[in-house]
Amino acid sequence: MSQSAQTKPSRTGPERTGRLSADDWAQAALDLIAEQGVAAVAVEPLARRLGVTKGSFYWHFPSRDALLVAALERWEKVEQETVFGQLEPISDPRERLRALFNLVAHEFKSHVIYSELLKALDHPAVQPVIGRVSERRMDYLTASFRQAGLNRTDAQHRARLLYAAYVGFLQLNLQLHQARMQHDEFEAYVEHMMATLIPSS
């Protein structure tokens, strides 16, 4: 495919210069998932959003499902690097858990994407990603609680309680449309969660 075909502007989107990468398409798909859910991911609206023709899409992906898989892999990888990567240098397990609480509490877009993926668990591309992410999170929490002094069983229970609270909070706010907390109220809630769930020294 020629460069001119790749960068030809759509009728409704802005003109793009330079060839889009597969990551550009994957990120655009994630943005659309955050806004409208997994079912909204389709070639034509994404092409319009990116200001290119559909030919740009087919340069990188054979199908819509291939794009969805790439988008989910990107989300999984970025979460792994940004969340766990930032926490790795913190040696004290309690401080690491506090940093995790604060980091996760303020990553709103990642929560929205996760919530939308939970709604689409029947999709064959979504289920294995959510399974891997959830298992990795639970293993990380369990290991952190064990390092903070809990025995194996208590650490597993505490990790499950924390993860259930996280998913439940997302459902209340994003799926059941409970009124969002004001900033100070939310920060107090996060502090309460930390005081309740992180073992004291």
Side-chain angles (χ1 to χ4, degrees), residues 117-131:
L117 294 180
L118 288 177
K119 295 178 189 178
L121 277 176
D122 58 340
H123 193 287
V126 172
Q127 196 281 329
V129 173
I130 289 295

Side-chain angles (χ1 to χ4, degrees), residues 69 72-73 75-76 117 125-134:
V69 169
L72 295 177
E73 288 176 350
W75 174 74
E76 184 178 5
L117 294 180
V126 172
Q127 196 281 329
V129 173
I130 289 295
R132 287 194 303 270
V133 168
S134 297

Side-chain angles (χ1 to χ4, degrees), residues 106-192:
H106 300 98
E107 287 287 335
F108 181 73
K109 186 171 184 179
S110 179
H111 302 329
V112 174
I113 292 173
Y114 183 70
S115 179
E116 291 297 335
L117 294 180
L118 288 177
K119 295 178 189 178
L121 277 176
D122 58 340
H123 193 287
V126 172
Q127 196 281 329
V129 173
I130 289 295
R132 287 194 303 270
V133 168
S134 297
E135 183 177 5
R136 186 182 303 119
R137 289 173 171 180
M138 283 292 296
D139 288 347
Y140 186 89
L141 289 171
T142 300
S144 295
F145 282 127
R146 289 210 65 187
Q147 291 165 6
L150 298 185
N151 64 44
R152 180 180 179 82
T153 300
D154 287 347
Q156 289 175 331
H157 290 334
R158 190 73 59 95
R160 188 172 291 112
L161 177 62
L162 173 54
Y163 202 59
Y166 166 70
V167 174
F169 189 82
L170 291 186
Q171 287 188 310
L172 285 174
N173 283 269
L174 301 176
Q175 297 181 24
L176 300 180
H177 305 294
Q178 184 187 65
R180 290 184 64 184
M181 294 180 180
Q182 297 297 316
H183 177 267
D184 290 347
E185 183 185 8
F186 178 72
E187 295 300 327
Y189 169 74
V190 174
E191 284 293 329
H192 175 78

